[in-house]
């Protein structure tokens, strides 16, 4: 069973990476955002926070049903972050039996995390994406590790003159010719590193103590039918179950916290007498629940209630509105509405072929953290692309037809004639006009004394940012896209 | 060593002037012994030939134009390496006439193979994502299984080599793609279209796609800079795709209303002559001297702009 589990885990991790790397999301039969649309935590918080229901979310039913009947199988068998932790933990050698502390108070933290997320969602703030394991895994893999690997491989292959080796990969969109980088994405790597290092203290530290998705699945699985049973008459008190269990289900007095069980079958394999089994009958072992007490919950809810307005008001939604950013095409003109739907998952940033979509940090307020923003100087919005809408799991970025996307005004370009080469240096340039991709160019020029001076025709500009990207002026471009004011639309 | 010789040779070629080119004399396989090519070898009676073929099928008119120039085997020897430089710089479907018609390029590539070329490469440094251009412009479909190699140049300096421009008025050196410097025959296949800064982009401007470095720095005094580049890397053959041309909103286009059907292909060994003729096409109605690149190249003695001095052979099929 344990081998089967490992294979399934690896398959899910492979699927996760495959979907992450698959270059043309729309052409794939498996939706690129599968792991997100089937993630109950994200689905529930997004529905609550944005007050919208979407058909794609039905996919989460699978995990919900599986958890109701089988417990936290998702954690043990499918979660890519969990698998990564398991793989990482194998590095710890020699694996002599060590019995890890159970620490019930720490374990309750995850319920409070979940509670805070849900209450924030009730107040319209969607913050699940900061702490959800799938989004953590995706961001660290796609936005941090992938660019690093890309950089190393490209450098290596180019040095060794093996360009021809990567070009077939190029053809399918991996290791593409342009380099990929994300603003401060090392943060995601650090988050992952901390989670992984904590496994040296307790295996699956994150899953036991912090994971809000784990907490949700535990709650769902209260009446599960797949149970752990210990054959007490066989027990030799060898304690191998205690040391092998990934989530600390076995207490030292052999009572069980089996609501935490992730059905990983390690104990079944390790038990010297194979007295432990996982099956559909429940034995009479003493079971201890570590759900938080009612009083704890009340106090925590009170605090969480406070946290939502705190986040939304003082930490930045206001600021976010006064400092609007260039959002991906098609998103709500209201920052608040957009942020209530955006799961901060990073799918759009990975999908954006120009690398223009970047994660915000605190520039637009803490509340907008990790939401996508278009940075034209890094990458423009490609005229022939609508990838971000295709992968966005919560339709915070709508899935628009290409033709509609091509008309969507992300913003509007303005010339900075104190920097623009013809205006300042009296030299020819017109690079922006040359590149402007709209059929009826949004940049035109007039000629004075034999020199071409460009200007923007505002009705035609879609704010794609290509002009800003290619402007030859160093540093701040001489043409820059600003978010549109409603009046200008 | 090969490219140094080649460079020297190209320099001497520009000194030899158009006469040598006009005589159909081409530097194929002669690069290693430039001293062989003496001015007195040119045939004084021959005139610079420009082929203009009109028709409904892009491939057909291309092949016909090559035939008028004496067939591709005059330019491509057995086991040689040929570089084709079409314009695949923009992500626009070919119907929008922002990029060279793939059928024209394919027809030329096939002719090169027929003439015994060992390798045919299509080289381009695109402005938009090169792979996407390759797909959207229709090259991926057309060149499937053609045996032609596509070189998508990037910003990587290693793909280029710095070439000194001894006679350069505005540029003293330029990065040029190694693939082009190292080939035996270099065929330039631009599309004729509108361009904001250059007015029209034709053969000479198309050479920008083989240069490295920061290309928008070439925009100031573009004409002379392109002429300087031309002085060190002269295509053996220029074939202008004027099947569909873009009249406004170039070089990117995008509006079908801006595309005019001309149905012509213009071919010549003299890039300036080909460009100069293309300016006069109906939808443009300009002259070579209106276009800074053409004018500067002519003034630098890199080719013939005066159409009356060219033997223009027009054909309709
Ligand atoms: S539509 Fe624009 S912003 Fe969205 S992924 Fe494509 S290029 Fe990036
Ligand atoms: S003016 Fe700039 S931002 Fe506007 S459409 Fe053209 S390239 Fe895009």
């Amino acid at each position: 069973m344990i081998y089967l589990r490992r294979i399934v885990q690896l398959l899910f991790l492979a699927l996760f990476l495959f979907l992450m790397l698959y270059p043309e999301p729309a052409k794939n039969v498996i939706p690129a955002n599968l792991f997100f649309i089937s993630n109950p935590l994200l689905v529930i918080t997004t529905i609550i926070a944005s007050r919208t229901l979407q058909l794609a979310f039905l996919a989460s039913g699978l995990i919900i049903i599986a958890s109701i009947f089988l417990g936290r199988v998702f954690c043990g068998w499918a979660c890519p972050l969990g698998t990564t932790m398991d793989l990482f933990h194998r590095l710890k050698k020699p694996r002599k039996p060590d019995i890890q502390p159970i620490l019930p108070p720490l374990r309750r933290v995850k319920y409070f995390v979940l509670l805070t997320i849900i209450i924030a969602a009730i107040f319209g703030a969607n913050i699940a994406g900061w702490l959800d394991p799938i989004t953590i895994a995706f961001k660290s893999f796609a936005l941090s590790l992938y660019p690093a690997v890309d950089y190393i491989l490209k450098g290596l292959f180019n040095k060794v003159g093996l360009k021809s080796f990567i070009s077939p990969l190029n053809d399918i969109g991996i290791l593409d010719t342009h380099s990929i980088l994300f603003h401060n994405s090392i943060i995601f790597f650090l988050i992952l590193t901390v989670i992984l290092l904590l496994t040296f203290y307790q295996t699956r530290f994150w899953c036991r103590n912090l994971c809000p998705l784990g907490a949700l699945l535990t709650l769902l699985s209260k009446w599960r039918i797949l149970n752990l049973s210990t054959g007490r008459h066989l027990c030799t008190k060898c304690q191998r179950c205690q040391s092998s269990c990934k989530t600390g289900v076995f207490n030292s007095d052999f009572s069980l916290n089996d609501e935490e069980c992730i059905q990983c079958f390690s104990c079944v394999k390790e038990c010297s007498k194979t007295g432990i089994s996982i099956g559909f009958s429940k034995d009479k072992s003493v079971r201890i629940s570590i759900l938080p007490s009612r009083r704890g919950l009340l106090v925590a809810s009170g605090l969480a209630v406070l946290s939502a307005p705190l986040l939304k008001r003082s930490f930045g939604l206001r600021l976010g509105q006064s400092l609007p950013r260039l959002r991906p095409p098609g998103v709500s003109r209201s920052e608040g509405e957009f942020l209530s739907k955006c799961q901060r998952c990073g799918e759009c940033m990975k999908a954006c072929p120009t690398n223009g979509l970047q994660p915000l940090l605190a520039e637009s307020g803490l509340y907008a953290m990790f939401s996508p923003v278009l940075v034209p100087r890094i990458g423009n919005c490609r005229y022939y692309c609508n990838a971000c809408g295709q992968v966005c799991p919560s339709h915070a970025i709508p899935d628009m037809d290409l033709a509609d996307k091509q008309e969507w005004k992300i913003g509007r370009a303005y010339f900075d004639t104190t920097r623009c080469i013809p205006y300042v240096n009296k030299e020819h340039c017109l690079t922006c006009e040359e590149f402007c991709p709209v059929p009826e160019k949004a940049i035109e020029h007039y000629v004075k004394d034999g020199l071409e001076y460009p200007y923007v025709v505002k009705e035609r500009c879609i704010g794609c940012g290509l002009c800003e990207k290619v402007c030859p002026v160093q540093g701040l471009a001489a043409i820059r896209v600003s978010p549109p004011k409603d009046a200008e639309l | 060593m090969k490219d140094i010789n080649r460079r020297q040779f190209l320099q001497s070629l520009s000194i030899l002037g158009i006469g040598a080119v006009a005589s159909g004399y081409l530097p194929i396989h002669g690069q290693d012994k430039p001293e062989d090519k003496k001015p007195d070898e040119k045939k004084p009676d021959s005139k610079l030939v420009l082929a203009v073929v009109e028709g409904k099928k892009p491939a057909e008119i291309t092949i016909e134009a090559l035939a008028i120039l004496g067939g591709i085997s005059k330019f491509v020897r057995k086991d040689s390496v040929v570089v084709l430089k079409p314009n695949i710089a923009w992500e626009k479907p070919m119907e929008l006439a922002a990029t060279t018609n793939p059928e024209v390029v394919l027809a030329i590539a096939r002719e090169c193979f027929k003439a015994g070329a060992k390798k045919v490469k299509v080289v381009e440094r695109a402005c938009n994502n090169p792979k996407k251009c390759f797909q959207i412009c229709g090259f991926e479909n057309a060149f499937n299984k053609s045996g032609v190699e596509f070189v998508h140049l990037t910003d990587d300096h290693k793909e280029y080599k710095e070439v000194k421009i001894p006679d350069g008025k505005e540029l003293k050196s330029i990065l040029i793609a190694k693939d082009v410097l190292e080939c035996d025959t270099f065929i330039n296949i631009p599309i004729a279209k509108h361009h904001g800064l250059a007015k029209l982009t034709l053969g000479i401007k198309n050479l920008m796609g083989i240069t490295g470095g920061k290309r928008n720095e070439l925009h100031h005094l573009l004409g002379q800079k392109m002429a300087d580049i031309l002085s060190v890397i002269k295509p053996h053959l220029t074939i202008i795709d004027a099947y569909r041309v873009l009249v406004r909103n170039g070089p990117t286009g995008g509006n079908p209303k801006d595309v005019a059907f001309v149905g012509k292909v213009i071919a010549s060994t003299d890039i300036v002559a080909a460009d100069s003729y293309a300016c006069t096409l109906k939808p443009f109605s300009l002259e070579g001297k209106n276009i800074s690149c053409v004018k500067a190249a002519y003034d630098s003695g890199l080719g013939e702009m005066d159409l009356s001095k060219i033997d223009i052979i027009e054909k309709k099929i």
Side-chain angles (χ1 to χ4, degrees):
Chain A
M1 224 29 192
I2 190 165
Y3 298 109
L4 182 66
R5 187 204 84 223
R6 282 187 193 145
I7 292 169
V8 173
Q9 273 188 307
L10 289 176
L11 284 178
F12 271 106
L13 184 64
L15 178 67
F16 182 75
L17 293 176
F18 170 75
L19 292 179
M20 181 186 104
L21 292 174
Y22 197 83
E24 304 236 8
K27 291 198 193 131
N28 195 342
V29 273
I30 315 169
N33 50 26
L34 182 73
F35 278 84
F36 293 100
I37 54 173
S38 56
N39 177 330
L41 176 69
L42 290 180
V43 168
I44 289 172
T45 47
T46 307
I47 291 176
I48 299 177
S50 68
R51 286 104 170 118
T52 49
L53 208 61
Q54 285 163 26
L55 225 52
F57 290 161
L58 284 177
S60 68
L62 208 67
I63 294 181
I64 295 182
I65 291 170
S67 309
I68 289 177
F69 289 105
L70 308 174
R72 286 175 71 173
V73 275
F74 173 80
C75 305
W77 292 60
C79 176
L81 188 63
T83 309
T84 314
M85 277 185 264
D86 287 352
L87 287 173
F88 186 77
H89 192 74
R90 296 181 77 89
L91 297 177
K92 186 179 169 185
K93 279 195 174 148
R95 296 173 65 209
K96 57 172 164 357
D98 62 316
I99 291 163
Q100 297 159 347
I102 300 294
L103 303 176
L106 196 58
R107 286 182 170 230
R108 291 199 184 107
V109 171
K110 61 177 175 291
Y111 296 105
F112 296 119
V113 172
L114 175 65
L115 191 73
T116 313
I117 290 176
I118 301 274
I119 288 177
I122 292 173
F123 281 87
N126 191 352
I127 56 169
W130 295 349
L131 294 157
D132 170 79
I134 309 291
T135 59
I136 289 181
F138 189 86
K139 279 187 298 225
S140 52
F141 279 117
L143 305 189
S144 193
L145 283 170
Y146 173 62
V149 171
D150 176 88
Y151 178 72
I152 296 174
L153 287 185
K154 263 188 227 159
L156 215 65
F157 287 136
N158 286 342
K159 270 259 148 43
V160 197
L162 276 178
K163 257 211 162 119
S164 55
F165 184 80
I166 49 169
S167 68
L169 288 173
N170 266 202
D171 290 339
I172 56 167
I174 302 172
L175 292 175
D176 214 335
T177 35
H178 69 280
S179 56
I180 310 156
L181 75 165
F182 294 97
H183 264 329
N184 296 317
S185 64
I186 193 161
I187 289 181
F188 305 123
F189 175 72
L190 292 178
I191 294 174
L192 181 72
T193 315
V194 169
I195 290 177
L196 291 180
L197 287 178
L198 282 171
T199 63
F200 286 154
Y201 174 60
Q202 280 183 337
T203 42
R204 295 257 193 161
F205 180 94
W206 164 266
C207 309
R208 295 180 190 210
N209 306 318
L210 301 175
C211 181
L213 179 61
L216 179 69
L217 298 184
T218 310
L219 293 177
L220 283 174
S221 66
K222 188 118 180 72
W223 295 283
R224 70 194 171 278
I225 50 170
L226 191 64
N227 279 302
L228 197 64
S229 359
T230 50
R232 310 215 74 180
H233 53 287
L234 295 171
C235 180
T236 58
K237 307 244 174 336
C238 69
Q239 291 187 314
R240 283 194 207 166
C241 53
Q242 291 171 22
S243 64
S244 68
C245 180
K246 287 186 197 296
T247 53
V249 164
F250 301 92
N251 296 322
S252 48
D253 60 354
F254 293 95
S255 60
L256 303 176
N257 318 306
D258 67 344
E259 59 196 10
E260 304 272 303
C261 172
I262 56 170
Q263 329 286 18
C264 74
F265 285 85
S266 299
C267 54
V268 178
K269 175 166 176 276
E270 287 298 315
C271 178
S272 53
K273 291 284 179 226
T274 55
I276 303 179
S277 58
I278 294 177
F280 293 110
S281 55
K282 203 170 181 172
D283 69 6
K284 297 199 179 58
S285 313
V286 187
R287 289 182 151 78
I288 294 171
S289 174
I290 27 186
L291 289 178
S293 68
R294 211 159 282 169
R295 212 181 55 170
L297 279 181
L298 260 151
V299 174
S301 326
L303 288 174
V305 165
L306 257 180
S307 76
L310 268 179
L311 259 175
K312 284 183 74 171
R313 302 286 149 178
S314 26
F315 282 107
L317 189 59
R318 287 284 132 186
L319 191 69
Q321 269 167 350
S322 64
L323 254 184
R325 305 280 165 167
L326 296 179
R327 293 298 189 182
V331 310
S332 166
R333 295 293 183 195
S334 141
E335 276 283 287
E337 192 184 329
F338 170 62
L339 290 175
S340 75
K341 284 190 187 164
C342 171
Q343 299 177 339
R344 326 290 204 265
C345 66
E347 279 274 1
C348 54
M349 304 169 212
K350 172 67 187 59
C352 184
T354 66
N355 202 206
L357 289 186
Q358 296 281 330
L360 271 181
L361 292 179
E363 303 97 313
S364 227
L366 200 59
Y367 176 52
M369 189 162 69
F370 303 156
S371 61
V373 66
L374 184 77
V375 184
R377 228 21 185 168
I378 299 179
N380 57 297
C381 176
R382 231 187 103 217
Y383 193 65
Y384 283 94
C385 171
N386 52 357
C388 49
Q390 289 168 346
V391 297
C392 178
S394 62
H395 293 282
I397 309 172
D399 188 359
M400 284 194 284
D401 283 343
L402 190 58
D404 294 336
K405 196 239 81 173
Q406 287 172 338
E407 306 216 319
W408 178 268
K409 289 173 189 283
I410 293 174
R412 203 239 275 187
Y414 292 84
F415 272 104
D416 181 344
T417 49
T418 62
R419 298 177 70 81
C420 180
I421 293 171
Y423 290 94
V424 179
N425 297 357
K426 304 287 173 217
E427 289 178 0
H428 305 268
C429 180
L430 286 198
T431 310
C432 50
E433 186 210 61
E434 180 178 36
F435 276 76
C436 179
V438 290
E440 205 69 36
K441 283 204 184 278
I443 302 181
E444 295 204 340
H445 68 266
Y446 63 91
V447 183
K448 208 176 128 199
D449 301 332
L451 193 62
E452 304 84 359
Y453 296 91
Y455 59 91
V456 176
V457 184
K458 69 172 185 196
E459 294 77 20
R460 300 186 202 146
C461 175
I462 55 171
C464 71
L466 184 50
C467 51
E468 181 173 337
K469 165 136 174 74
V470 298
C471 174
V473 173
Q474 290 294 306
L476 205 59
I479 183 165
R480 297 189 293 276
V481 182
S482 301
K485 277 195 255 116
D486 289 349
E488 291 168 349
L489 293 171
Chain B
M1 280 316 283
K2 196 179 175 188
D3 17 349
I4 292 172
N5 282 331
R6 176 190 172 75
R7 202 190 305 149
Q8 287 167 347
F9 177 71
L10 284 170
Q11 286 158 17
S12 62
L13 180 75
S14 60
I15 297 160
L16 291 184
I18 46 161
V21 183
S23 68
Y25 181 71
L26 275 148
I28 301 152
H29 279 211
Q31 300 146 333
D32 296 330
K33 298 173 274 165
E35 64 279 8
D36 287 358
K37 325 301 175 206
K38 304 259 166 53
D40 54 31
E41 274 186 27
K42 76 174 182 190
K43 298 176 208 129
D45 51 14
S46 73
K47 228 182 151 197
L48 172 59
V49 178
L50 181 85
V52 182
V53 183
E54 188 175 350
K56 289 270 170 290
K57 294 205 179 102
E60 225 168 63
I61 53 178
T62 310
I63 294 169
E64 187 57 34
L66 287 173
I68 293 175
L69 295 184
I72 194 97
S73 47
K74 246 173 106 183
F75 311 97
V76 177
R77 294 282 156 81
K78 253 203 149 19
D79 291 331
S80 60
V81 178
V82 183
V83 162
L84 309 182
K85 165 64 181 78
N87 184 327
I88 330 179
W90 307 99
E91 295 174 351
K92 297 279 165 173
M94 62 169 165
E95 292 74 23
L96 295 173
T99 50
T100 308
N101 193 318
E103 289 177 50
V104 171
V105 186
L106 183 61
I108 298 168
R110 291 220 169 106
E111 290 294 294
C112 293
F113 280 128
K114 262 191 226 158
K118 173 172 72 184
K119 203 176 222 178
V120 178
K121 293 186 197 174
V122 170
V123 177
E124 169 71 311
R125 181 174 175 202
C127 297
N128 297 150
N129 181 315
K131 297 274 151 103
K132 295 280 159 49
C133 292
F134 175 58
Q135 287 165 0
I136 292 178
C137 303
F139 279 82
E140 186 174 66
N141 282 338
F143 279 76
N144 192 12
K145 301 213 182 88
S146 62
V148 173
E149 182 188 329
F150 277 78
V151 180
H152 302 293
L153 296 172
T154 65
D155 297 346
D156 188 351
H157 276 247
K158 288 196 226 72
E159 293 167 12
Y160 308 88
K161 192 177 160 100
E162 187 166 353
V163 176
K164 293 259 166 328
I165 309 179
D167 306 326
K169 295 205 182 83
E170 288 296 332
L171 288 177
K172 287 293 162 216
S173 74
I174 184 78
L175 292 173
I176 293 192
K178 286 182 185 160
D179 289 284
V180 178
L181 292 173
E182 285 159 9
C183 76
D184 300 303
T185 308
F186 173 36
I187 304 179
N188 188 20
I189 320 172
I191 179 167
K193 60 173 173 170
H194 170 258
H195 186 282
L197 183 65
K199 286 211 183 83
L200 286 183
T201 148
L202 302 160
I204 302 171
K205 171 80 178 35
N206 195 42
L207 295 179
M208 208 180 225
I210 56 164
T211 63
K214 287 208 179 112
R215 290 186 296 183
N216 42 32
E217 283 170 3
L218 300 175
H219 278 200
H220 181 52
L221 305 175
L222 177 80
Q224 188 55 50
K225 285 182 182 157
M226 288 315 301
D228 290 348
I229 295 171
L230 180 63
S231 72
V232 289
I233 183 86
K234 246 184 156 180
H236 300 127
L237 200 55
T238 297
I239 299 163
I240 301 181
D241 163 22
Y243 187 71
R244 296 187 192 93
V245 303
L246 181 63
V247 210
R248 285 189 309 120
N249 286 313
T252 50
N255 191 341
K257 274 191 279 187
D258 295 340
V259 178
F261 182 82
V262 174
K264 285 185 184 165
V265 154
I266 301 153
S268 176
T269 50
D270 182 340
I271 186 170
V272 186
D275 279 10
S276 177
Y277 180 89
C279 299
T280 64
L281 288 172
K282 194 90 173 295
F284 306 132
S285 301
L286 290 162
E287 280 179 61
K289 64 173 192 287
N290 302 132
I291 310 298
S292 62
C293 293
V294 184
K295 176 94 175 31
Y298 172 72
D299 290 344
S300 306
L302 298 166
E304 185 54 79
M305 185 171 81
D306 186 350
L307 294 181
S308 64
K309 294 200 182 126
I310 305 168
D311 190 2
I312 301 173
I313 303 177
E314 290 186 283
K315 196 167 175 187
K316 201 163 176 174
I317 45 177

